[in-house]
Amino acid sequence: MLIDTYGRVATDLRVSLTDRCNLRCTYCMPEEGLQWLAKPDLLTDDEIVRLIDIAVTSLGIEEVRFTGGEPLLRPGLVGIVERVAALDRRPQMSLTTNGIGLKRTAAALKEAGLDRVNVSLDTLRPDVFKTLTRRNRHQDVIEGLHAARDAGLTPVKVNSVLMPGLNGDEAPDLLAWAVEHDYELRFIEQMPLDAQHGWKRDGMITAGDILTSLRTRFELTAEGEEKRGSAPAERWLVNGGPHVVGVIASVTRPFCAACDRTRLTADGQIRTCLFAQEETDLRAALRSDAPDEEIARIWRLAMWGKKAGAGLDDPTFVQPDRPMSAIGG
């Protein structure tokens, strides 16, 4: 298993399939995009499946989340899902996406074995969406969400980041819409993972701000820590249930003590945390014909050195060099 010196055990693997994205969200990357990874640097489909196989058969991984960049841009995605679903120890599989390509791929992903999806949508207003993402694709995301729900990729979770002066007033409207369409809404505090390093803690919309806004229209009842477990989202029943809303307070109420994640970047590096400054190379071991046992040993050693927390509350915190699009969400 993947245990660290603080006794935490990683059972959740986040796999970034590509660093590329077809949006240019202001809190993630500059308008002109980034210097993408060269194709030879990316893990192949076979390498990804092999590493996931090692993770689930030798290291105790129970859940795999495919991320990006935008994972729907990966040409072999459906085949990867199908092959992971056929492993002897089949993990739960989910996908985090911007939703633009879901309308055409949701049914195929479900048939291949994907269990559910998380879709990023920060606003119900097409004009605000265009400002936030620098693309006019709002309707594509809405249609992708509907396609995921109709295909049975449920619960369909919607991830929203609120930004002052843009969509900061939309929390109640987003929740009303999510309840109407049977999506599970989760608000995420904006994190310092933008390529421009423009994030500032002062002025950010906090979990407390979000809950105060939601309570102007809804009655919220906390589910409690027992139900939460190691999940990053604190959840509340909406008007007594059955619908719930989550808030991921990564900055103001970090949940590092319960973290159960390990992360694999698109170029084959292990990251113990989104905010880690160090990576451990698995791609080199793969391409030098190392046996599975050696790769598992390297992975265990990397996770053993995981730090106690992300350090966001430390005044000396240094933002990672890689933006979120390169390391997965």
Side-chain angles (χ1 to χ4, degrees), residues 108-135:
L109 287 167
K110 178 64 177 179
E111 185 176 353
L114 192 70
D115 295 300
R116 63 172 189 82
V117 294
N118 287 25
V119 179
S120 299
L121 180 65
D122 302 321
T123 178
L124 298 176
R125 297 177 245 179
D127 59 325
V128 176
F129 181 91
K130 187 175 181 180
T131 299
L132 279 167
T133 68
R134 304 183 179 105
R135 298 291 186 271

Side-chain angles (χ1 to χ4, degrees), residues 181-200:
H181 293 282
D182 201 24
Y183 303 137
E184 182 178 327
L185 180 63
R186 307 191 312 170
F187 292 100
I188 305 174
E189 288 182 338
Q190 186 192 0
M191 294 180 285
L193 287 167
D194 58 308
Q196 310 93 296
H197 290 196
W199 177 88
K200 288 181 173 52

Side-chain angles (χ1 to χ4, degrees), residues 50 54 57-59 282 285-286 289-301:
R50 183 184 173 194
I54 292 169
T57 59
S58 301
L59 299 173
L282 292 185
L286 281 172
D289 297 324
D292 289 359
E293 295 78 9
E294 174 61 12
I295 293 170
R297 185 194 69 80
I298 296 170
W299 204 331
R300 287 191 192 98
L301 187 61

Side-chain angles (χ1 to χ4, degrees), residues 171 187 206-216 218 220 234 236 245-247 253:
F187 292 100
T206 68
D209 298 330
I210 294 166
L211 292 170
T212 297
S213 178
L214 292 176
R215 286 183 171 121
T216 63
F218 302 94
L220 303 181
E234 299 176 72
W236 284 263
V245 62
V247 179
R253 296 202 288 269

